[in-house]
Amino acid sequence: MTFRTIMEPFRIHSVEPIRMSTREERSACLEAAGFNLFRLRSEDVAIDLLTDSGTGAMSRDQWAGIQRGDESYAGSPSWFRFEAAVKHLFPYEHVIPTHQGRAAERILFSQIAGPGKTIPNNTHFDTTRANIEFTGATAVDLVIAEGRDPASEHPFKGNMDLAALELVLETADVPVVFMTVTNNAGGGQPVSLENLAGVRALCDRFGVPLFLDACRFAENAYFIKTREPGQAGREIEHIVREMASYADGMTMSAKKDPMANIGGWLALNDDELAERCRTMLILTGGFTTYGGLAGRDLEVIAQGLEEAVQEDYLRYRVRSTAYLADALAAAGVPVVRPTGGHAVFIDARALLPHIDPLEYPGHALAVALYREGGIRACEIGTVMFGRRPDGSEEAAPMDLVRLAIPRRTYTQAHFDYVAEVVAYVAAQAEELRGLEITHEPRQLRHFTAAFSPIR
Ligand SMILES: *Cc1c(COP(=O)(O)O)cnc(C)c1O
């Protein structure tokens, strides 16, 4: 008999208090923060779904790793444990540790990108795009059409559009093709093995290397196991190694699936490029056996990698995210389908059709979720993407609110609470009003802009 209840596959060993606040207190916090949720104190948040990056709970064995960490400058045992754990899943020749994913991106693109180059991806994550553009190169997103349609039920909405990729490879100067697994910016949607093989074949034809942005590789492998024909009987580790086998290297943030609070790496097979990247690392991050991390961080990542591919964990992870999405859908809240691995995305433009995109329906919803229930979510819409370089504004393709789920951190009762708050806010959707921006920086305005409600 398989029971329906999703039981968390862990017991709680150490607890963090959640401070309960009143609606009046939260209204005052919003005023003080200029209605920007990034400017709140996290202690004033009850359920923090701003991001799943570095916010997960570590296991007993990861905390033990903190104690075991060896802080030798060069050649520490913690480094060798880290390197072996990475190579066990991603058997690339060279592993270069970094303090975050974006540091790996910066090192790689400083060596291979530059003016005149074009780098395709299914969808570039914002730091990936920014690091490419910083070198003067062009970043293009080539996800399949279904990946841009919130309602499409395609099982692999992160797949690359192979015909579009072929065209770019024929016409542009492409130093590397990237594939982001899962496709974070596109809703945490997975990429199939079949599509990876197709991208590989094109890269072979044009003699171009393929790299993975592998931040959520384990969730992607679990979706392959449960959705791709012929994969159900395979172990997650084997699927991960097959994913890795199509690529020549990877960039990685250990703050995602590896369940660490900090860290990342760059891995690759090309000896000459690896040497140049290591030189850059020493210049800007640290020596090649720690890369800006402490030995104890390397232990935590090595242990986290083992835990990330355990099927009990992944089943719980993916099903608990779907549990929240299904509860919202049942309450009539429009959510992006199918549910991805790390987050639930609410279609705020559909929920709040009376708020013009330039009055930020996603942001209005995120502010209301905080005011009513102390839930912090993240607008992914016109606030984040609507400002053009010349300072003018246009509506983003979608106005979404992302509820990102930290790993192993919240229980089913927390999800029930979130669903109840969202349903309560959605029931009063007509009363919500938009906001205007009273102050904004020139770039990445969502982090620091100040807003005022339109009365
Ligand atoms: C988080 C993330 C990054 C950047 O990693 P950081 O550790 O935040 O620097 C790159 N790509 C994807 C897909 C991510 O989710």
Side-chain angles (χ1 to χ4, degrees), residues 352-374:
L352 305 172
H354 59 288
I355 301 183
D356 187 273
L358 295 183
E359 294 177 359
Y360 318 124
H363 193 63
L365 177 60
V367 165
L369 294 179
Y370 175 70
R371 182 190 290 109
E372 300 307 326

Side-chain angles (χ1 to χ4, degrees), residues 100-102 105 125 127 180 184 213 215-216 253 255-256:
Q100 286 206 196
R102 67 197 69 183
E105 293 167 353
F125 182 67
T127 62
T180 304
N184 180 7
D213 176 345
C215 295
R216 296 179 184 79
S253 169
K255 302 174 72 169
K256 318 291 171 56

Side-chain angles (χ1 to χ4, degrees), residues 143-161 186-195 223 227-229 336-340:
V143 75
I144 55 170
E146 292 88 338
R148 300 177 202 269
D149 171 8
S152 162
E153 290 280 353
H154 190 290
F156 290 102
K157 285 169 82 172
N159 280 354
M160 185 86 89
D161 181 335
Q189 301 291 340
V191 173
S192 68
L193 287 174
E194 185 191 21
N195 189 251
F223 283 124
R227 293 182 185 174
E228 189 157 353
V336 174
R337 302 291 310 164
T339 313

Side-chain angles (χ1 to χ4, degrees), residues 432-445:
L432 296 191
R433 294 287 166 269
L435 297 100
E436 60 190 349
I437 292 182
T438 53
H439 171 79
E440 64 181 330
R442 293 173 69 86
Q443 278 167 328
L444 295 172
R445 65 177 180 179

Side-chain angles (χ1 to χ4, degrees), residues 16-21 26 36-57 317 324 342-344 366 369-370 373-379 401-411 413-415 417-418 421-422:
E16 277 183 279
I18 292 176
R19 198 178 71 77
M20 306 305 275
S21 53
R26 292 191 295 269
N36 186 328
L37 303 173
F38 282 97
R39 289 165 60 174
L40 292 173
R41 288 170 182 256
S42 63
E43 286 169 322
D44 295 325
V45 175
I47 307 272
D48 203 346
L49 308 182
L50 189 65
T51 174
D52 67 320
S53 179
T55 52
R317 170 77 175 152
L324 176 58
H342 70 294
V344 176
L369 294 179
Y370 175 70
I375 296 164
R376 177 156 67 170
C378 187
E379 189 253 19
V401 170
R402 183 184 71 181
L403 307 173
I405 318 290
R407 292 168 181 76
R408 305 188 295 206
T409 303
Y410 292 112
T411 66
H414 292 122
F415 292 129
Y417 173 82
V418 172
V421 171
V422 177

Side-chain angles (χ1 to χ4, degrees), residues 129-389:
R129 171 175 287 275
N131 271 295
I132 289 169
E133 290 175 349
F134 187 73
T135 71
T138 305
V140 292
D141 294 337
L142 302 177
V143 75
I144 55 170
E146 292 88 338
R148 300 177 202 269
D149 171 8
S152 162
E153 290 280 353
H154 190 290
F156 290 102
K157 285 169 82 172
N159 280 354
M160 185 86 89
D161 181 335
L162 296 178
L165 177 62
E166 187 173 0
L167 195 64
V168 170
L169 287 166
E170 272 167 5
T171 53
D173 179 3
V174 178
V176 65
V177 172
F178 254 77
M179 279 290 262
T180 304
V181 294
T182 59
N183 191 24
N184 180 7
Q189 301 291 340
V191 173
S192 68
L193 287 174
E194 185 191 21
N195 189 251
L196 275 172
V199 173
R200 172 81 248 173
L202 277 174
C203 287
D204 282 343
R205 222 174 88 205
F206 288 88
V208 172
L210 172 62
F211 270 55
L212 300 178
D213 176 345
C215 295
R216 296 179 184 79
F217 71 94
E219 292 170 9
N220 199 90
Y222 186 76
F223 283 124
I224 287 172
K225 182 178 168 102
T226 51
R227 293 182 185 174
E228 189 157 353
Q231 301 300 322
R234 295 181 73 192
E235 286 195 21
I236 296 293
E237 279 188 27
H238 292 158
I239 297 174
V240 172
R241 276 193 289 272
E242 183 174 340
M243 286 162 52
S245 74
Y246 294 117
D248 305 285
M250 67 192 295
T251 56
M252 186 70 187
S253 169
K255 302 174 72 169
K256 318 291 171 56
D257 275 359
M259 296 200 267
N261 301 125
I262 197 71
W265 67 86
L266 167 65
L268 67 169
N269 286 331
D270 181 329
D271 298 335
E272 188 266 332
L273 178 58
E275 184 171 313
R276 285 193 280 140
C277 290
R278 284 203 172 99
T279 304
M280 277 301 290
L281 177 75
I282 295 173
L283 216 60
T284 61
F287 186 62
T288 57
T289 64
Y290 73 88
L293 295 169
R296 54 182 170 271
D297 301 323
L298 297 170
E299 293 276 353
V300 160
I301 298 167
Q303 177 61 32
L305 281 173
E306 275 180 38
E307 296 171 11
V309 293
Q310 286 171 12
E311 210 169 313
D312 281 349
Y313 159 71
L314 284 168
R315 184 182 305 113
Y316 142 79
R317 170 77 175 152
V318 165
R319 283 203 50 203
S320 56
T321 304
Y323 173 83
L324 176 58
D326 291 348
L328 298 187
V333 178
V335 290
V336 174
R337 302 291 310 164
T339 313
H342 70 294
V344 176
F345 291 75
I346 301 173
D347 187 346
R349 195 176 289 173
L351 181 67
L352 305 172
H354 59 288
I355 301 183
D356 187 273
L358 295 183
E359 294 177 359
Y360 318 124
H363 193 63
L365 177 60
V367 165
L369 294 179
Y370 175 70
R371 182 190 290 109
E372 300 307 326
I375 296 164
R376 177 156 67 170
C378 187
E379 189 253 19
I380 310 251
T382 303
V383 174
M384 193 177 270
F385 300 120
R387 188 187 154 107
R388 292 200 216 117

